Amino acid sequence: MKTLRGFGSDNNAGVHPEIMAAIVKANIGHVPGYGEDDYTREAIAVFRRCFGEETEVFFVFGGTGANTLSLRAAAQPHHAVICAKTAHINVDECGAPEKFSGCKLLDFAAPDGKLTVELIRPALHGVGDIHQVQPRVISISQPTELGTLYTIEEIEEIAAFAHHNHMILHMDGARICNAAAALDAPLRAITRDAGVDILSFGGAKNGLMYGEAVVIFDRHLAQDFEFIRKQGAQLASKMRFIAVQFTALLSGDLWLRNARNANRMASLLAERVSALPGMQLTQPVQANAVFASIPPKVIPALLQEYFFYPTENPGEVRWMASYDTKEEDIERFVETLARLLDQELAKGPAR
């Protein structure tokens, strides 16, 4: 079994010791199940201190559940959800958002992963036409699946467009902590205050064992969410073990420390690999993801030593830094990559 810290995904990192300690501390005695416990109430109070007292919070098992139930709460089956072609809900959730919400996804090509009002506007051409799905939700990822960031002003612009056209803005925040750290802004500033209506708040990619939260700023969307969560198989019986993780993450600055380290390590990795021959970054490194082009013949050899994801673009790879990535991990990886590149260059051009 490979024990090196790799760059395949921030999901691959272990549980942060402070999170594990919180789980252990909560593992005492009996408490009511299904969120009717003091641990869950405390975690909800922590979220409200971060996002405002009018915030509704619902804990779920994972990111697909958070996204799917968010869309289910925001839309009816005759509605459409607008997203980037690269969006997680579009390419990485096995059709769950469409199956459980009943909505059609309208995906738009965005080379940097970011939707704009100009990209979204054509989706409104069928508004009022009984023969067409009606656009209801705009879903953006922050950071995007390509590692890029929306500025606060860009989110505000999309939110204003959505609300003017009687739509809802959903944010897939699987790495929302990384985004806030990179933008040097409070979590509330890049979500609620920017006009987001419903947020999938990620934890597993920032040091939690498991668990995400659906954070609803428009209380009308929360009206039946308890039933939607139960029917969607996302209601945890032992809710306290999800809840205490978020209390530990958000009560102090653990979320920020973890995210800042991951972002800093991604920047270092980008700096080191871009200095190697044959290497080129394909997206700006703005959070904790590095996208790069690499000589295609090197990829299989590198995969023998490190796990990571090649993209669908020939010769392009994605490397993710995690909360526990260290400088020595990067140096070891870069040394390996440099060795393989040298070996490939030594072979000379194919005849």
Side-chain angles (χ1 to χ4, degrees):
M1 179 181 296
K2 297 179 180 179
T3 58
L4 294 176
R5 290 187 187 90
F7 300 92
S9 173
D10 36 12
N11 279 324
N12 296 353
V15 182
H16 192 282
E18 293 180 39
I19 301 295
M20 188 68 80
I23 295 172
V24 172
K25 187 176 180 180
N27 191 32
I28 298 174
H30 290 206
V31 302
Y34 303 105
E36 300 295 329
D37 61 275
D38 288 339
Y39 295 104
T40 301
R41 281 187 278 270
E42 181 182 7
I44 291 172
V46 169
F47 267 94
R48 287 176 173 163
R49 287 197 291 273
C50 287
F51 293 101
E53 288 300 316
E54 298 301 305
T55 302
E56 298 292 347
V57 184
F58 303 89
F59 299 112
V60 297
F61 291 110
T64 296
N67 286 337
T68 296
L69 298 191
S70 293
L71 300 180
R72 171 67 183 84
Q76 297 296 319
H78 63 279
H79 288 142
V81 176
I82 300 166
C83 63
K85 190 173 289 292
T86 53
H88 204 272
I89 60 172
N90 191 45
V91 298
D92 280 307
E93 294 182 349
C94 196
E98 291 172 303
K99 175 178 172 59
F100 288 101
S101 71
C103 295
K104 182 178 180 62
L105 298 185
L106 300 178
D107 60 318
F108 290 85
D112 60 356
K114 294 164 59 175
L115 290 178
T116 64
V117 169
E118 288 69 29
L119 287 175
I120 297 167
R121 198 182 303 277
L124 273 61
H125 77 280
V127 170
D129 185 343
I130 198 171
H131 301 289
Q132 298 193 33
V133 290
Q134 299 298 291
R136 174 62 173 166
V137 181
I138 300 171
S139 181
I140 61 175
S141 300
Q142 177 74 325
T144 73
E145 287 73 18
L146 299 183
T148 52
L149 290 172
Y150 290 92
T151 65
I152 292 175
E153 293 74 20
E154 287 170 335
I155 299 169
E156 289 174 337
E157 183 180 8
I158 294 172
F161 179 81
H163 298 153
H164 178 75
N165 290 284
H166 311 292
M167 292 190 291
I168 291 163
L169 179 58
H170 165 254
M171 178 179 283
D172 180 348
R175 298 182 174 94
I176 190 66
C177 296
N178 299 91
L183 294 169
D184 194 24
L187 289 163
R188 175 170 174 162
I190 66 172
T191 54
R192 180 178 197 142
D193 290 351
V196 174
D197 298 298
I198 185 166
L199 165 69
S200 300
F201 189 105
K205 293 177 171 62
N206 199 33
L208 270 62
M209 179 181 289
Y210 69 103
E212 315 284 302
V214 175
V215 185
I216 301 178
F217 306 120
D218 180 346
R219 280 191 156 177
H220 292 96
L221 302 177
Q223 184 173 354
D224 292 321
F225 198 87
E226 289 184 346
F227 300 98
I228 292 170
R229 177 173 60 175
K230 176 64 177 180
Q231 192 175 65
Q234 289 291 317
L235 178 63
S237 57
K238 297 186 178 181
M239 185 79 74
R240 57 173 152 164
F241 296 111
I242 298 178
V244 294
Q245 297 180 76
F246 281 106
T247 300
L249 186 72
L250 295 175
S251 290
D253 68 346
L254 179 59
W255 70 271
L256 186 58
R257 284 186 279 127
N258 285 354
R260 279 178 173 168
N261 183 72
N263 292 356
R264 186 170 65 88
M265 291 298 102
S267 294
L268 179 61
L269 176 61
E271 176 186 331
R272 297 285 282 112
V273 300
S274 60
L276 297 176
M279 298 294 303
Q280 184 177 357
L281 301 180
T282 57
Q283 294 289 343
V285 179
Q286 297 180 332
N288 66 320
V290 177
F291 285 78
S293 64
I294 178 173
K297 291 183 179 179
V298 172
I299 294 176
L302 188 58
L303 281 168
Q304 291 296 313
E305 303 196 40
Y306 283 93
F307 173 74
F308 58 89
Y309 289 103
T311 75
E312 63 182 16
N313 301 318
E316 186 183 52
V317 298
R318 186 198 78 167
W319 296 316
M320 300 295 304
S322 304
Y323 82 86
D324 62 348
T325 301
K326 300 182 183 301
E327 290 188 20
E328 52 263 38
D329 301 323
I330 291 172
E331 295 306 320
R332 186 181 296 113
F333 178 78
V334 172
E335 288 172 4
T336 301
L337 177 56
R339 170 172 52 83
L340 295 173
L341 287 169
D342 287 343
Q343 290 173 358
E344 187 61 30
L345 286 172
K347 294 178 183 177
R351 295 184 178 181

